[in-house]
């Protein structure tokens, strides 16, 4: 799970250069200037990066075999990109891709199947943070011929196409990377030396070429004039690190910068009131949820499903969304975010205090009880303070006689205890690696998986649904299985979905083509400005 801070992105655009030129003058440049706060770039090596800032940079300079449909607006439709077409075996175990012919890397080299094989093998053999995307799933990747790649998985996985949209699965120029010390050998974690070069140069096929990364200052991307599709109308994209939100807002309102992260909902409101642009809104695939143990040795009260259900029914979801988040979130029905296959907002629980009190009486706790809630001293996804959220939950549960004894804990220590299954009740957030419900269903529904083991959750029917849904390719059938799974998870109430944060992107009025995408955030290729 990628650790990601707030996804509140504020986008503004400055276009530099004169709009009217004299006879014989050079054409005006279009420079998209973006401001972000405290860019967490560890590296721009696409097979090593795993932080929040790099994906949109990687997306600009590199490309994947497939991409999300409708210009990144769809999270359920996968379309070919570097691939011309693809086929998936009936058992969702063998994926075959026919590559587009004649596509050139930034170096001028022609892309072939050997480059795909090298790229994917390097991802796995570097053994860096994202390596599991390849290593845990792929048995083999081979070049059938110069324009055909066949990938065989270790086991059936209908989510693999969605996984291939990840910026870590981009295709690099194997000749260029090898020339600068890169390798896809099994010992690449020790022998590969290409990262320093890839931090300052790109070896992709994308619409922009990486020209410079100055740590803590800026990233500069320039238009690829030989791009295989129509070249971008933008001459250059400059992403600058501007840590102060107030400064970012001033620059946005003046039109001097392009992207700014970490501006809260109040600053968004100021931007709206200024009338100096428009706000593009989108849902992340992040979630904040309540976790309750099913282990009677940790909490005999919470081990009773009726008690967990009572807590689920006592939560003021509207108060969290409209009050704490001021509308910058939606209620997540269970643990599968809205927008993904099988997600259904109609399943979301609603507050019902009378039913909650009846469930407590039925369980033998009509007089209420106390339970310790350990929570992290952290700001959760969406910019919500954990302390603010648990204080709200404490107030909500008092209405049914459940007393939360709040105990803040340093985040590293809290995480260790939560992962170790030591906590009775807590809150946590979850961020995606790819846009498919498989990335949530398995961790939360399979006994012993990462999230399930933290609350000792076990339900053979839920595990069967999660596993089966990941093995079939029929989208309609998969969607139904995930809906059925969510009904069970809501009934068992070991996890209670609370919120799915929104992203607000503020865009200057003359800028078009800005779309938020929760996988790669902003794709600069369709962006234009007058």
């Amino acid at each position: 799970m990628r650790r990601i801070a707030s996804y509140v992105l504020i986008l503004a655009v400055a276009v530099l250069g004169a709009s009217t030129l004299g006879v014989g003058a050079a054409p005006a440049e279009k420079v998209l200037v973006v401001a972000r706060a405290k860019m967490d770039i560890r590296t721009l090596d696409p097979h090593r990066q795993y932080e929040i800032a790099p994906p949109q940079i990687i997306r600009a300079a590199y490309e994947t075999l497939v991409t999300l449909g409708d210009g990144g607006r769809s999270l359920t439709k996968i379309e070919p990109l570097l691939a011309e077409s693809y086929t998936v075996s009936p058992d969702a175990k063998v994926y075959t891709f026919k590559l587009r012919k004649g596509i050139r890397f930034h170096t001028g080299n022609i892309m072939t199947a050997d480059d795909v094989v090298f790229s994917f093998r390097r991802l796995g053999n570097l053994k860096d943070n994202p390596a599991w995307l390849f290593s845990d799933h792929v048995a083999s990747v081979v070049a059938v011929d110069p324009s055909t790649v066949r990938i065989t998985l270790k086991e059936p996985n209908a989510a693999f196409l969605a996984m291939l949209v990840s910026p870590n699965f981009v295709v690099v120029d194997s000749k260029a990377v090898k020339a600068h010390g890169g390798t896809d050998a099994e010992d690449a974690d020790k022998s590969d030396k290409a990262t320093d070069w890839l931090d300052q140069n790109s070896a992709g096929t994308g619409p922009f070429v990486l020209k410079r990364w100055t740590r803590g200052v800026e990233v500069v991307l320039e238009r690829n004039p030989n791009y295989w599709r129509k070249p971008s109308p933008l001459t250059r994209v400059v992403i600058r690190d501007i840590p102060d939100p107030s400064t970012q807002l001033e620059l946005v309102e003046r039109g001097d910068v392009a992207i700014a992260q970490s501006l809260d909902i109040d600053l968004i409101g100021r931007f709206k009131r200024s009338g100096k642009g428009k706000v593009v809104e989108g849902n992340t695939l992040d979630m904040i949820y309540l976790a309750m143990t099913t282990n009677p040795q940790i909490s005999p009260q919470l081990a009773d499903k009726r008690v967990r259900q009572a807590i689920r029914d006592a939560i003021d979801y509207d108060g969290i969304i409209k009050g704490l988040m001021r509308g910058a979130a939606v209620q997540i029905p269970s643990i599968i975010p809205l927008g993904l296959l099988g997600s259904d907002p109609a399943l979301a629980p609603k507050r019902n205090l009378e039913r909650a009190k009846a469930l407590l009486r039925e369980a033998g706790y009509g007089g209420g009880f106390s339970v310790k809630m350990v929570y992290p001293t952290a700001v959760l996804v969406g910019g919500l303070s954990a302390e603010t959220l648990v204080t709200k939950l404490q107030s909500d549960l008092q209405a049914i006689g459940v007393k939360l004894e709040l105990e803040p804990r340093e985040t590293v220590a809290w995480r260790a205890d939560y992962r170790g299954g030591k906590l009775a009740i807590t809150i946590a957030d979850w961020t995606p690696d790819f846009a498919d419900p498989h990335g949530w269903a398995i961790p939360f529904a399979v006994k012993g998986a990462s999230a399930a083991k933290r609350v000792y959750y076990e339900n053979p029917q839920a595990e069967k649904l999660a596993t089966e849904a990941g093995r079939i390719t029929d989208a309609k059938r998969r969607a139904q299985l995930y809906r059925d799974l969510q009904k069970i998870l809501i009934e068992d109430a070991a996890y209670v979905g609370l919120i799915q944060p929104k992203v607000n992107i503020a865009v200057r009025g003359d800028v078009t083509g800005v779309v938020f995408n929760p996988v790669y955030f902003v794709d600069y290729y369709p962006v234009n400005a007058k």
Side-chain angles (χ1 to χ4, degrees), residues 151-193:
I151 302 172
T152 303
L153 304 184
K154 294 178 179 179
E155 60 182 26
N157 185 353
F160 189 65
L161 273 180
M163 294 172 67
L164 288 177
V165 177
S166 164
N168 297 116
F169 274 113
V170 298
V171 180
V172 303
D173 183 342
S174 60
K175 294 178 181 177
V177 174
K178 288 177 181 178
H180 291 90
T183 179
D184 65 342
E186 292 184 4
D187 67 345
D189 57 320
K190 300 180 180 64
S191 60
D192 187 278
K193 307 298 181 185

Side-chain angles (χ1 to χ4, degrees), residues 207-225:
F208 296 92
V209 179
L210 175 65
K211 302 303 292 186
R212 182 174 68 254
W213 166 39
T214 305
R215 189 182 299 273
V217 179
E218 66 180 12
V219 173
V220 178
L221 298 153
E222 292 188 355
R223 177 171 56 204
N224 175 7

Side-chain angles (χ1 to χ4, degrees), residues 225-238:
N226 299 313
Y227 187 46
W228 61 278
R229 293 185 284 181
K230 182 179 178 180
S232 167
L234 302 173
T235 308
R236 187 177 304 115
V237 176
V238 181

Side-chain angles (χ1 to χ4, degrees), residues 457-513:
Y457 180 67
E458 180 179 355
N459 184 319
Q461 183 61 22
E463 181 167 344
K464 179 181 178 181
L465 287 169
T467 303
E468 183 180 353
R471 291 173 174 268
I472 60 176
T473 57
D474 185 289
K476 186 176 181 179
R477 176 62 178 152
R478 289 189 79 208
Q480 185 59 54
L481 292 176
Y482 285 127
R483 280 193 288 269
D484 293 344
L485 169 62
Q486 288 176 91
K487 291 176 183 178
I488 293 175
L489 295 177
I490 292 169
E491 170 73 14
D492 288 345
Y495 326 100
V496 178
L498 297 176
I499 63 171
Q500 181 177 340
K502 294 181 180 180
V503 161
N504 290 294
I505 303 176
V507 184
R508 206 176 77 177
D510 65 343
V511 177
T512 60

Side-chain angles (χ1 to χ4, degrees), residues 332-517:
I332 186 169
S334 64
I335 52 86
I336 297 179
L338 295 175
L340 294 182
L341 192 70
S343 60
D344 185 354
L347 296 176
K350 301 300 179 185
R351 194 178 203 198
N352 189 327
L353 292 177
E354 292 308 311
R355 185 170 62 192
K357 292 174 182 177
L359 284 164
L360 282 184
R361 288 194 297 269
E362 183 181 327
Y365 299 104
F369 66 93
S370 298
V371 61
K372 181 188 292 186
M373 172 181 267
V374 177
Y375 66 93
T377 55
V379 175
L380 304 170
V381 294
L384 180 60
S385 161
E387 182 176 9
T388 299
L389 178 57
V390 298
T391 301
K392 168 63 175 167
L393 293 174
Q394 183 185 52
S395 174
D396 290 350
L397 299 192
Q398 283 177 348
I400 61 171
V402 175
K403 301 177 180 63
L404 292 182
E405 299 172 353
L406 302 181
E407 181 181 317
R409 191 165 294 174
E410 192 276 326
T411 301
V412 173
W414 163 83
R415 184 177 294 109
D417 287 344
Y418 178 42
R419 289 177 174 175
K422 297 179 181 180
L423 305 182
I425 182 170
T426 192
I427 55 169
D429 51 16
W430 189 270
T431 58
D433 288 295
F434 53 91
D436 189 276
H438 187 72
W440 288 260
I442 297 300
F444 284 87
V446 173
K447 178 184 177 182
S450 58
K453 69 180 179 181
R454 299 169 189 177
V455 295
Y456 302 89
Y457 180 67
E458 180 179 355
N459 184 319
Q461 183 61 22
E463 181 167 344
K464 179 181 178 181
L465 287 169
T467 303
E468 183 180 353
R471 291 173 174 268
I472 60 176
T473 57
D474 185 289
K476 186 176 181 179
R477 176 62 178 152
R478 289 189 79 208
Q480 185 59 54
L481 292 176
Y482 285 127
R483 280 193 288 269
D484 293 344
L485 169 62
Q486 288 176 91
K487 291 176 183 178
I488 293 175
L489 295 177
I490 292 169
E491 170 73 14
D492 288 345
Y495 326 100
V496 178
L498 297 176
I499 63 171
Q500 181 177 340
K502 294 181 180 180
V503 161
N504 290 294
I505 303 176
V507 184
R508 206 176 77 177
D510 65 343
V511 177
T512 60
V514 177
V515 176
F516 169 76
N517 181 282

